[in-house]
Amino acid sequence: MPSTGQSRQSGDDPDKTRPPAATLRYDTLADLFAAIPQFAELTRDRPRPHEDAQDVLFRLRRSNTPEEAITFTAFAFVPKLAIWWGYECLRSIPEVLTATDRELMEGIAQWIGQPTMEHRHAVMKQALWAPERSSGVHLGLAVGWSGGSIAPNDPAPVPLHRCPRAINTAVLSCLAQANISRRTIYLTRFMDVAQSLFKVY
């Protein structure tokens, strides 16, 4: 069964955005893999017997493919929390963000503070009409695909894999644009934030 969580309102100041209460998207990793089979297509590593989500994240970030820890985080947490984490990742490397990214980041911060349908659709529209698929645009698409209807006039539900896949792309593409000498530092910072979210329970 999917887990549930409540978001905290933080106002419109993007420097004061706070994460929603930390919860996993599903209670078990087996449920996660069963509900979103596309997750398995993006990762080679699989949970070991008796490992929980925190164990897996801890092991992946120290593996030969630490980027899989980014993918795991994007899929494991509920959409609002995963998007907040992605927002914090992108915000920590401002030099790689475009003007479009920065505009979208403002809208994403507003949605994090007040996750209304109106804010979600506004961010989605801005992302869809963006001239290129940059990191901030992918994160904006993740907001649009975070739940509810795909558009005001389209009641079709959003496939579960779209939001986490967009978050994954946003964070990985942002990291790839960073100075190569600092990528390990940024990756460590991203994963420190992800791992700390388990402490909110």
Side-chain angles (χ1 to χ4, degrees), residues 8-128:
R8 302 173 185 172
Q9 292 192 355
S10 59
D12 295 332
D13 186 348
D15 290 331
K16 295 182 180 179
T17 54
R18 297 180 180 178
T23 54
L24 295 175
R25 182 186 283 263
Y26 290 92
D27 292 332
T28 71
L29 295 176
D31 289 340
L32 174 63
F33 277 92
I36 313 179
Q38 293 85 356
F39 176 38
E41 298 172 5
L42 297 175
T43 58
R44 294 181 298 175
D45 202 291
R46 295 293 179 270
R48 297 171 182 174
H50 311 300
E51 278 188 328
D52 62 15
Q54 189 170 11
D55 295 330
V56 172
L57 182 62
F58 186 84
R59 179 167 55 81
L60 286 178
R61 65 179 297 188
R62 288 160 177 77
S63 70
N64 292 328
T65 54
E67 294 80 8
E68 289 199 5
I70 290 177
T71 305
F72 179 79
T73 302
F75 277 83
F77 284 109
V78 294
K80 289 176 186 176
L81 179 64
I83 290 167
W84 176 87
W85 170 77
Y87 172 87
E88 291 298 312
C89 292
L90 268 59
R91 196 161 70 98
S92 70
I93 317 181
E95 64 270 19
V96 307
L97 300 181
T98 67
T100 300
D101 288 334
R102 289 190 287 273
E103 290 179 9
L104 271 162
M105 292 285 279
E106 292 180 6
I108 293 168
Q110 290 180 345
W111 176 83
I112 291 171
Q114 297 180 323
T116 64
M117 181 175 64
E118 290 76 15
H119 279 148
R120 181 169 64 84
H121 286 156
V123 172
M124 181 64 162
K125 182 178 179 180
Q126 189 177 0
L128 286 173

Side-chain angles (χ1 to χ4, degrees), residues 137-198:
V137 171
H138 280 289
L139 195 61
L141 292 172
V143 169
W145 292 329
S146 62
S149 62
I150 199 166
N153 59 348
D154 187 349
V158 180
L160 293 178
H161 70 278
R162 281 195 172 185
C163 176
R165 189 169 65 182
I167 298 168
N168 182 54
T169 301
V171 176
L172 285 176
S173 63
C174 180
L175 184 65
Q177 294 176 72
N179 187 295
I180 193 169
S181 66
R182 295 187 56 80
R183 287 179 192 169
T184 300
I185 297 172
Y186 287 130
L187 179 57
T188 299
R189 185 180 302 167
F190 294 173
M191 291 300 98
D192 283 345
V193 173
Q195 202 158 337
S196 71
L197 296 176
F198 286 95

